[in-house]
Amino acid sequence: MPKWITQVGCPYCGSSCDDLEVLVSDDGRKVLETRNACVIGNEIFHHASSPNRPTRPRMRQEDGTVKEITYDEAIDYTAKALLKAKKPLIYGFGSTNCEGMSAVGRVAEKAGAVLDNCASICHGPSFLAIFDNGYPSCTLGEVKNRADVVLFWGCNPMHAHPRHTSRYSIFPRGFFTTKGNMQRTIICVDPRETDTAKLADIHLMIDQGHDYELFDAFRTVLRGHDIPDVVAGIKKEQILEAAGKMKNGRFVMIFYGMGCCHTDGRNHNVDIAISTTRDLNSHTKASIMAMRGHYNIAGPGQVWSWQFGFPYCVDLSRGTHAHMNPGETSSIDLAMRDEVDCFVNVGTDAGAHFPIEAVRHLKKHPFITVDPNICMASEISDLHIPVRVVGVEEPGVVYRMDNVPIQFKKVIDGPDGVPSDEELFDKVYERMCELTETEPIWILNRGHAHGSSTAEQ
Amino acid sequence: MAEIVIKNGFVIDPARKINGDVMDIAIRDDKIVEKVGSGAKEIDARGKVVMTGGVDIHAHVAGPKVNVGRLMRPEDKLFKSPNAQAPYRVESGFSIPSTFKTGYDYARMGYAFVMEAAMPPLHSPHVHEEIHDTPIIDQGALPVFANNWFVLEYLKNREIENTAAYTAWLLMATKGYGVKLVNPGGTAAWAWGLNCLTLNDPVPYFDITPAEIISGLIETNEYLGLPHSIHIHQNSLGTPGNYEITLDSFRLAEGVKANNRFSRDSVMHSTHVQFHSYGGDSWRNFESKAKEVMDYINGQKNITVDLGCVTLDETTTMTADGPFEHHLNQLNHLKWANTDVELETAAGVVPYVYDKDIKVCGIQWAIGLELGLYAKDPMRTFITTDHPNAGPFIRYPRIIKWLMSKKAREETLESMKYTDKVIDATDIHSLDTERTLYEIAQMTRAGPAKALGLSHIFGSLAPGMEANVVVYDLNFNDMPDDPEQIERAFLRSSNFIKSGDIVVKDGDIVSHGNKRTFWVNAKVKENPQVIRDIHEKFLKEYTVGLGNYTVWDCLAPNPYVIDIDVEA
């Protein structure tokens, strides 16, 4: 009998929904149906059972074709490439679990590599702002239970985080928000009329690239000063109205996305967004949150902060200590300066996301992709190593966009012989130790056994 | 079978009233034994002090707010991280060290057990992931209870049995060790931007007072018979004049008797009392009330305290006292992080510079030490810095130096810009007390082990105890004139054996040992109402499924579970 598995985590967007129900086949090897998932989440579960999925490492040959090799050969190649390189870069981690990130941390230390994650080309400006100004935030349940004014700034959850508005931010009925969306004022700041903007009570159609000015106007108004008749293309009356809503709200929530942190001003936009939140706390309660893209892209920021002290751009090439200096140790900058002599792309698609110039430089040296699926990066790689799909075939801890850890279960078994990211990188580490004739350093007596939770009472 | 013998050291073991006797300490596997065979590995401790491993009752070393501090403060790493000690993991950070550095530094100082002082239940998998990555030391974590909706609702109706059933469930679900209270009611109020500054301020919506929460949780704790008493960070932390509220909270423990099978006598552990012993009504006339607070503690045998000494460093404050961090941020205007956690708690993080040339910081420094010097019972007064709030834990040796040497205190006092003002507002200059090594061992080992209900394995070198033995390069009969040597000796032990593994030699890490996670599994009678309430709250208000909330066993792969059968 096929079996329904409940409270399944979804390995797609930063909403990290954990209320999915998945029907798996008798033999526990195939996903038949899902409930509660958005269209993209649903697709990920079905994709895992795709017959076209690679299940063995594929090594590029001199003639440009690829040949299947064994995992041991792939591990050996990766270990040697990392050891040989002077400044290897290990990048990605949008779509894997924290166990994998932790294992990669050990490899990177051994290799003297730079460790970086997708934040480098995504919410990196947010980190820069947080370094300067902090991060007054909350968990998404606070938004659901309390928020009566919700601002979406340069983000469009209706497309990018399909269930965000129904689970957390606009529609849900919470403890102090029993009337759901009827009780919430939605403000959207976006130059386009997005599907999120269409849901908003107030849509401020800002001039593109003028985010800083509009934040500045809000702060000015909140502090009781006058502003010009038009700021950032928005009429004064509209700004006063929106500011009034915020000031009189009981709990104000600001969600912002790439439209805020990757438009002109970048980290400065986030900085003043945080300052606006701080100012609002003199009047009422306010919080801010970055709309992180992937289900566990907050993960590397957490894991590497506790292991190395930095969330991204972690340069371990000095061998003695970790060093972070975005601009110097960030992936794109390293690649554009042609400083990287071995590239490992893990659980993301640098081939699709990096500027072509950066990819051209990276391609001069060993280029390895570790990912369950075929992607642009895997197709230009010297070596593609498939791994199990986290959240479908591999359990693990992931961090939702609000940095809440969620223990994702697995629903089906992975293809025979295909390792998890953690197992793969632990083997790469052990091989590196063999090659350098050193003892591996483990913190605990270890095993990979996990995924079972103590029975709930 | 591994055998070790530590020979000829000056043994200091207050639990057995041994004070500097020259003895051998024998170890077989992970336990201390009477004697071992001639083949045992010998460690020469001649002319050195031998103690059991240190026990830290209160430090913020793992979890979301610690990590927010690490994340938002790259400057805490810049020029402040030591070079890695090959072949071990890299070490980062000063006030909020990486997990690797945390484990290594504690081990270098000869600490065997560290209690993470505040675990937000929703984030407990995170806390355990960090504990998992902290080498060598044994750890436990205290989930926070005093602003939790379940607790507020049950206690409002005086339902101790339900509170206890929920408490037992949450300890199991989070792999927690005991009951932590942080700004009872005040943090719940902070979810609306408010606070509870006195013991009688009603919590918004829940209509219960901090005093009722504290009394209710004391009762719950003793009903369950947990190894540790309630562990409380009181209301109105860090405010001039707050010592009266502190004394009022202490009075809630009067007449309550400890009920447990762990030889714990206390019913309340009041943490970082330095922050709660302030007089005056503004920072202008701010003064020490350490004597008043300690006088009360001296006479009240069922309360234990830890100091929370200010170490005069640049550090990172972090607490589940969300409204306090907001308040602090309004004072120093540095960066501010906050995380409100649905239904449970909140937390804030703000960097802080305790500058010895600022009058208030000087007075705070004096208050912490005065408390340590006024204490009549070192078995109930423990050395902490509320790491990293009043200073990083690697300053414990410096606090020991100050407590042991008036000369050292005077040197620091003299170096301040406002020495006279600090002297006027405190008693530090007139206190001649100098703590002995025996008292230091009580304040860092025997005492905290007993308060945590762990005196059957930690806090002593008696045969049968856990084989945690540390050797410090100090001559008991010929203590150094230069107090700096005291600090140096305690900072880097000559040898540290943790659970029978030699983990430190000459101040350097030589092994990752075998760390464990301690948690308490209290079995109570099945309580259908509480089970129903849990299911309902997860269905309606939480944003994480109940099935994904309970911490996986694999996150604490080396557990030490203390089972309690409440029905029996």
Side-chain angles (χ1 to χ4, degrees), chain B residues 447-563:
Chain B
K450 186 170 155 70
L452 288 169
L454 291 172
S455 56
H456 56 295
I457 50 172
F458 295 144
S460 167
L461 291 168
M465 303 292 279
E466 188 79 8
N468 296 326
V469 186
V470 56
V471 182
Y472 294 118
D473 190 5
L474 283 172
N475 190 329
F476 180 78
N477 289 334
D478 183 18
M479 286 294 280
D481 291 330
D482 178 8
E484 298 310 313
Q485 284 183 33
I486 298 176
E487 182 176 343
R488 231 170 285 144
F490 278 106
L491 193 59
R492 291 171 80 86
S493 59
S494 301
N495 289 95
F496 180 39
I497 297 140
K498 157 76 182 44
S499 304
D501 286 320
I502 300 175
V503 292
V504 174
K505 204 162 171 272
D506 299 326
D508 285 335
I509 301 298
V510 294
S511 161
H512 270 147
N514 206 341
K515 82 157 295 138
R516 291 171 300 181
T517 308
F518 281 56
W519 63 279
V520 172
N521 192 13
K523 295 185 192 72
V524 294
K525 203 162 54 186
E526 191 175 280
N527 185 321
Q529 189 195 334
V530 172
I531 292 171
R532 190 198 66 102
D533 291 346
I534 290 170
H535 277 93
E536 182 158 307
K537 281 219 171 18
F538 273 89
L539 199 62
K540 287 186 173 167
E541 277 106 33
Y542 272 103
T543 56
V544 175
L546 178 56
N548 301 323
Y549 185 80
T550 301
V551 176
W552 287 340
D553 290 339
C554 62
L555 292 182
N558 245 346
Y560 184 101
V561 186
I562 298 174
D563 287 307

Side-chain angles (χ1 to χ4, degrees), chain A residues 26-288:
Chain A
D26 240 357
D27 59 356
R29 311 228 43 152
K30 197 167 179 339
V31 171
L32 303 174
E33 209 182 318
T34 69
R35 288 182 191 148
N36 296 348
C38 66
V39 283
I40 311 171
N42 175 59
E43 189 58 31
I44 283 180
F45 280 91
H46 287 296
H47 198 75
S49 307
S50 157
N52 302 325
R53 193 172 142 198
T55 55
R56 289 291 171 269
R58 300 177 305 139
M59 177 73 95
R60 182 139 338 254
Q61 306 299 302
E62 276 182 19
D63 63 1
T65 60
V66 291
K67 181 185 145 198
E68 283 197 356
I69 59 170
T70 65
Y71 273 97
D72 283 344
E73 287 168 322
I75 287 161
D76 182 67
Y77 177 88
T78 309
K80 284 177 177 156
L82 283 168
L83 285 173
K84 186 164 174 246
K86 284 198 178 110
K87 198 149 194 167
L89 169 63
I90 310 179
Y91 165 87
F93 309 96
S95 301
T96 180
N97 57 12
C98 291
E99 289 79 355
M101 294 159 189
S102 192
V104 168
R106 199 181 284 107
V107 168
E109 227 178 289
K110 187 83 187 161
V114 178
L115 263 183
D116 201 4
N117 62 64
C118 306
S120 205
I121 56 165
C122 188
H123 268 289
S126 300
F127 282 139
L128 294 179
I130 290 168
F131 297 155
D132 285 338
N133 208 1
Y135 193 54
S137 192
C138 63
T139 68
L140 287 165
E142 287 292 275
V143 184
K144 167 174 147 178
N145 289 318
R146 298 180 198 268
D148 57 352
V149 178
V150 181
L151 217 84
F152 294 98
W153 197 302
C155 57
N156 182 14
M158 290 308 286
H159 287 194
H161 301 84
R163 295 183 69 219
H164 190 278
T165 56
S166 59
R167 266 174 72 79
Y168 314 117
S169 54
I170 299 182
F171 300 107
R173 295 158 193 268
F175 192 78
F176 297 104
T177 50
T178 46
K179 293 190 187 131
N181 66 318
M182 305 287 287
Q183 212 173 327
R184 293 193 180 91
T185 303
I186 308 299
I187 304 171
C188 185
V189 180
D190 204 302
R192 304 167 302 161
E193 193 179 12
T194 62
D195 283 342
T196 306
K198 285 177 192 156
L199 289 172
D201 300 291
I202 302 173
H203 176 202
L204 303 178
M205 209 183 257
I206 186 178
D207 286 347
Q208 194 178 344
H210 290 256
D211 302 63
Y212 194 96
E213 284 138 83
L214 186 55
F215 276 118
D216 205 18
F218 278 134
R219 294 190 71 193
T220 309
V221 171
L222 286 170
R223 285 164 181 254
H225 301 289
D226 196 20
I227 53 168
D229 291 341
V230 177
V231 177
I234 312 287
K235 289 206 184 76
K236 178 178 173 178
E237 300 79 66
Q238 267 192 302
I239 295 173
L240 292 178
E241 186 198 359
K245 293 276 185 202
M246 286 193 262
K247 200 168 170 176
N248 295 317
R250 290 221 295 166
F251 190 111
V252 182
M253 189 66 212
I254 302 175
F255 291 107
Y256 71 93
M258 296 289 100
C260 178
C261 72
H262 269 272
T263 189
D264 289 355
R266 290 175 169 250
N267 55 309
H268 301 287
N269 294 341
V270 182
D271 193 281
I272 196 168
I274 294 167
S275 292
T276 308
T277 313
R278 290 169 67 142
D279 287 356
L280 278 165
N281 272 291
S282 304
H283 302 286
T284 179
K285 179 78 184 185
S287 275
I288 187 166

Side-chain angles (χ1 to χ4, degrees), chain B residues 34-65:
Chain B
E34 291 286 355
K35 58 167 68 159
V36 284
S38 54
K41 180 179 168 57
E42 287 189 12
I43 291 175
D44 182 19
R46 186 179 301 275
K48 295 178 182 174
V49 159
V50 177
M51 295 186 188
T52 180
V55 176
D56 191 347
I57 199 165
H58 186 106
H60 301 275
V61 285
K65 64 186 171 317

Side-chain angles (χ1 to χ4, degrees), chain A residues 407-424:
Chain A
Q407 301 167 111
F408 271 24
K409 28 170 105 70
K410 69 170 205 173
V411 292
I412 53 171
D413 294 329
D416 290 330
V418 174
S420 66
D421 293 89
E422 184 190 16
E423 287 164 354
L424 176 78

Side-chain angles (χ1 to χ4, degrees), chain A residues 7 109 131 137 139 141 399 450, chain B residues 89 129 335 338 342 547 554:
Chain A
Q7 298 195 21
E109 227 178 289
F131 297 155
S137 192
T139 68
Y399 286 79
H450 63 62
Chain B
R89 301 298 300 265
E129 277 200 291
K335 50 194 164 187
N338 180 74
E342 58 207 60
C554 62

